[in-house]
Amino acid sequence: MRESISSSLMNGDRVRVCFSPPLSSFPHTQYTRPSDARARAQQFNCSCRLRVVETMRVLLPLIALYGVLGAHAGSCKSEHKTQKSCDADHVTGGGCVWCDIVDQAPFCTELSDARQWPKPPQMPPWQCDFPPQPPAYPTVTLNNGIEMPVMALGTGGYNDSFAADAVAKALSVGMNHVHSAYDYYNLAGVGEGLRTQPRNSIFLTTMTSPCVHAAKPQRNVTDPNACYTLTLNELEKTLELLDVEYVDLVMLHGPSEPFGYLGGCDAAVCALNRAQWKAYMEFYVAGKARAIGVSNFCQSCLDCLLDTNFSAVVPAVNQIQLHVGMGYDPEGLFSYCRKRGIITQAYSPLAAGEVVKDPLCQSVGKHYNKTGAEVGVRWVLQQPFSPALVVKSDKLKNLQADLDAFSWSLTDEDVATLSKATTPKGQQNGRPSWGCSK
């Protein structure tokens, strides 16, 4: 039964899906703990007014496969409930939900051959919560309709206390996209910083590691089934360490290749990448991530995931290195992603500090009364193939300077001059990925 339902979905057959979980189990909420959600619902005098009354029909096998809590298939209907009966339903785990919107049916969507399923709701009509708060700087639309703030705070290399401080400072100046990773070993600190602001005002990204990994966590898991299980466990662990019920974006940190590998993803690596992507898709369908993507994936590794016989979900983001000195569209990877609806997010835009002191960047900056670092950030933002980037600092002055990059621009001539530069090289000798090259 599982195989037939999965095959039906992968082949583009349409299935009507209606979501109506109890608020405490629904991940798209600003409150990180069920008890908080219930308390806030009571505080805002929310009443339970929606309930899907159609019994599960088509979707039951899919729920067994993906673990989608509280989903019901069939026509969506609304039903007014008294407060007393709502309390009873909620306590017993029924389909009743808290909501302050009257006479709206639960959100419905279709899983189809659009290759963007399921499309997460921005604001489900039953959600007893405030809408997601837009940032004070530009966003980019991912291929499933989610709006992602263009600039993110990086947290790699920090211990817990530094991570908490950096995240809190970034959020305080309006940088509301936070980037984290399981193998940064500071997710608890990131979570502490996140709690300084309402969850719905933050776009939270995290990553888990490939199954073949030379750095911490060191492992050489070459069995796809074991790789799949390992990935599911690490995805759940990220939520636990961050102390959240969902993330906005989760990315596979790289292909299962050794660090510095020059070449493409062969059949064995493709099998491991697919095992991890299967876990990611299940995490996504379960509502624990609003979007899923990859990092350090080259064309051959992406081709493996984009095979329509395997996956119906195109990665929303590919995070790869880009900075002055790498040139225009290095290795053709950026244009490749753009043609396939994959947003590229640049990491290391300052080449681990080399751009800051680069003579060319400093010289160009004098024309604008800007530093070499500010020129480097602005150059990345003006690249046609890189609409997003990750910056890193725990200094308020630097964070504000990063955000100021949206208030000015380089001339076309200066962009062209910087694009011709062949230094600095940055990481992996100026290649976009540390795990592949083609």
Side-chain angles (χ1 to χ4, degrees):
M1 179 65 77
R2 289 185 179 185
E3 288 74 9
S4 63
I5 291 295
S6 178
S7 174
S8 175
L9 287 171
M10 296 304 180
N11 289 333
D13 296 340
R14 295 180 180 275
V15 179
R16 191 70 169 172
V17 184
C18 303
F19 297 94
S20 183
L23 181 62
S24 61
S25 68
F26 188 73
H28 298 286
T29 173
Q30 75 177 46
Y31 312 111
T32 60
R33 286 172 289 275
S35 58
D36 291 344
R38 183 63 180 271
R40 296 288 283 182
Q42 293 171 328
Q43 177 180 341
F44 288 105
N45 297 317
C46 298
S47 59
C48 180
R49 298 189 175 106
L50 295 176
R51 188 185 186 192
V52 174
V53 296
E54 187 93 4
T55 58
M56 297 184 188
R57 181 169 47 85
V58 177
L59 204 58
L60 199 57
L62 183 62
I63 295 170
L65 177 63
Y66 290 115
V68 180
L69 297 175
H72 296 246
S75 60
C76 289
K77 300 178 181 179
S78 62
E79 178 181 295
H80 289 270
K81 301 283 290 183
T82 65
Q83 190 67 50
K84 184 175 181 180
S85 62
C86 177
D87 286 338
D89 278 342
H90 192 92
V91 170
T92 59
C96 197
V97 297
W98 293 84
C99 186
D100 59 358
I101 300 176
V102 185
D103 295 331
Q104 291 194 35
F107 172 85
C108 295
T109 188
E110 286 184 343
L111 311 187
S112 69
D113 56 0
R115 308 253 295 146
Q116 297 171 3
W117 63 266
K119 189 170 184 177
Q122 290 278 9
M123 182 61 178
W126 61 77
Q127 187 179 352
C128 180
D129 201 350
F130 299 107
Q133 300 299 305
Y137 56 98
T139 63
V140 61
T141 304
L142 305 183
N143 59 20
N144 66 350
I146 296 299
E147 293 292 324
M148 181 180 80
V150 167
M151 184 176 288
L153 172 77
T155 57
Y158 291 143
N159 61 24
D160 281 329
S161 60
F162 272 93
D165 180 64
V167 170
K169 286 176 178 175
L171 296 177
S172 73
V173 298
M175 187 181 295
N176 74 332
H177 184 175
V178 176
H179 177 266
S180 64
Y182 179 80
D183 55 16
Y184 292 168
Y185 295 98
N186 58 12
L187 290 182
V190 171
E192 181 181 341
L194 295 175
R195 290 190 287 276
T196 63
Q197 298 291 333
R199 175 67 182 90
N200 74 324
S201 68
I202 304 166
F203 190 99
L204 175 58
T205 295
T206 196
M207 301 191 293
T208 67
S209 302
C211 287
V212 175
H213 201 236
K216 290 181 61 179
Q218 289 184 343
R219 68 266 192 109
N220 187 33
V221 180
T222 57
D223 174 65
N225 290 329
C227 178
Y228 161 79
T229 301
L230 172 67
T231 305
L232 278 181
N233 291 338
E234 288 191 353
L235 287 167
E236 294 295 339
K237 189 66 176 179
T238 60
L239 297 183
E240 178 185 335
L241 291 170
L242 288 165
D243 192 22
V244 297
E245 291 184 344
Y246 76 102
V247 293
D248 296 280
L249 171 67
V250 61
M251 296 186 289
L252 180 55
H253 204 160
S256 284
E257 295 278 16
F259 188 87
Y261 175 73
L262 296 177
C265 286
D266 60 19
V269 173
C270 177
L272 295 176
N273 293 342
R274 286 183 173 183
Q276 296 199 273
W277 195 243
K278 177 185 175 184
Y280 268 56
M281 288 190 291
E282 294 183 14
F283 195 72
Y284 178 44
V285 171
K288 296 177 181 181
R290 297 175 69 217
I292 54 177
V294 295
S295 177
N296 292 290
F297 268 56
C298 302
Q299 290 91 327
S300 62
C301 307
L302 287 167
D303 285 342
C304 170
L305 299 186
L306 295 175
D307 184 344
T308 55
N309 292 321
F310 161 68
S311 170
V313 182
V314 176
V317 176
N318 185 17
Q319 186 195 76
I320 41 186
Q321 180 179 219
L322 181 66
H323 54 74
V324 172
M326 292 179 61
Y328 175 83
D329 191 21
E331 298 184 358
L333 182 53
F334 291 81
S335 55
Y336 169 96
C337 289
R338 184 174 184 177
K339 289 177 182 177
R340 289 155 181 80
I342 303 170
I343 295 297
T344 46
Q345 181 185 56
Y347 69 76
S348 195
L350 300 183
E354 294 180 54
V355 169
V356 177
K357 58 192 178 193
D358 178 70
L360 176 59
C361 291
Q362 290 180 332
S363 175
V364 170
K366 291 178 181 178
H367 304 154
Y368 305 90
N369 194 28
K370 300 295 183 182
T371 65
E374 290 173 294
V375 169
V377 169
R378 185 62 215 179
W379 178 83
V380 170
L381 288 174
Q382 289 187 228
Q383 294 304 293
F385 304 122
S386 182
L389 80 167
V390 178
V391 297
K392 180 185 171 185
S393 181
D394 61 349
K395 304 291 191 295
L396 286 173
K397 180 180 178 181
N398 293 341
L399 293 168
Q400 290 165 338
D402 287 334
L403 289 173
D404 185 59
F406 298 104
S407 69
W408 66 284
S409 61
L410 295 162
T411 65
D412 291 343
E413 293 77 13
D414 284 336
V415 170
T417 298
L418 292 164
S419 296
K420 294 175 183 176
T422 57
T423 58
K425 292 297 185 182
Q427 302 178 55
Q428 54 260 7
N429 199 33
R431 292 184 290 107
S433 167
W434 53 251
C436 54
S437 62
K438 60 184 179 181

